[in-house]
Amino acid sequence: MINGRVISLFTAPNGADKMISADHLSCVAGKGIEGDRYALGTGTYSKKPEPGRQLTIIEIEELEALKDSADISCLPEQCRRNVISEGIRLNDLVGKIISIGTVELRVHRLCQPCGYLEGKLNKPGLKNALWNKGGVRCEILNNGKIMLMNNINLVK
């Protein structure tokens, strides 16, 4: 049973910009999140477009566990992900279609952390600590909105 929910939402207009908290995300099928770096083509990896870069999700539980397992902190607004979830194991959703609010998403693959995040935050060991725990990359399948506290549901 899927019991996840959205607890935080973020966008950034450019790859290096600070993430901006939002109360909703306006999603455009096949393109990305309105106002976000990958929909605008200004993201760090925008020159290598792929459907799985349209929206990212990470579990708050994994960010909180960093303090205990690696003595590293990474706040939701620092992790460079668009959606922060609670109460759901995201890794189990790779290859599946989920819905959040009015938006359906295809979960393409794990969102492995990169050296960019570790360097940007000056947090040695963050990349390794979040390996296989950095969330998932999703393709937006229909236009719609994701709101704070929306449930995350398995479609198929």
Side-chain angles (χ1 to χ4, degrees), residues 52-121:
R53 288 203 172 102
Q54 295 171 7
L55 183 143
T56 55
I57 312 170
I58 191 170
E59 300 164 36
I60 189 67
E61 293 88 350
E62 294 296 359
L63 295 177
E64 291 172 345
L66 287 172
K67 295 174 215 157
D68 296 331
S69 65
D71 197 28
I72 298 172
S73 67
C74 183
L75 301 173
E77 62 270 19
Q78 295 175 312
C79 71
R80 312 298 297 166
R81 304 299 184 255
N82 303 114
V83 177
I84 311 300
S85 69
E86 178 180 63
I88 188 167
R89 288 289 308 143
L90 296 171
N91 289 14
D92 298 340
L93 300 175
V94 172
K96 299 194 174 13
I97 295 176
I98 61 172
S99 67
I100 307 176
T102 62
V103 180
E104 287 194 357
L105 305 164
R106 180 181 318 278
V107 181
H108 275 259
R109 61 186 173 94
L110 297 183
C111 189
Q112 299 294 17
C114 61
Y116 175 81
L117 178 64
E118 185 174 281
K120 182 170 182 60
L121 298 178

Side-chain angles (χ1 to χ4, degrees), residues 2 7 11-12 70 76 90 92 103 111 123 129 137-138 149:
I2 304 287
I7 62 168
T11 61
L90 296 171
D92 298 340
V103 180
C111 189
K123 306 254 181 180
R137 297 185 180 280
C138 302
M149 305 312 284

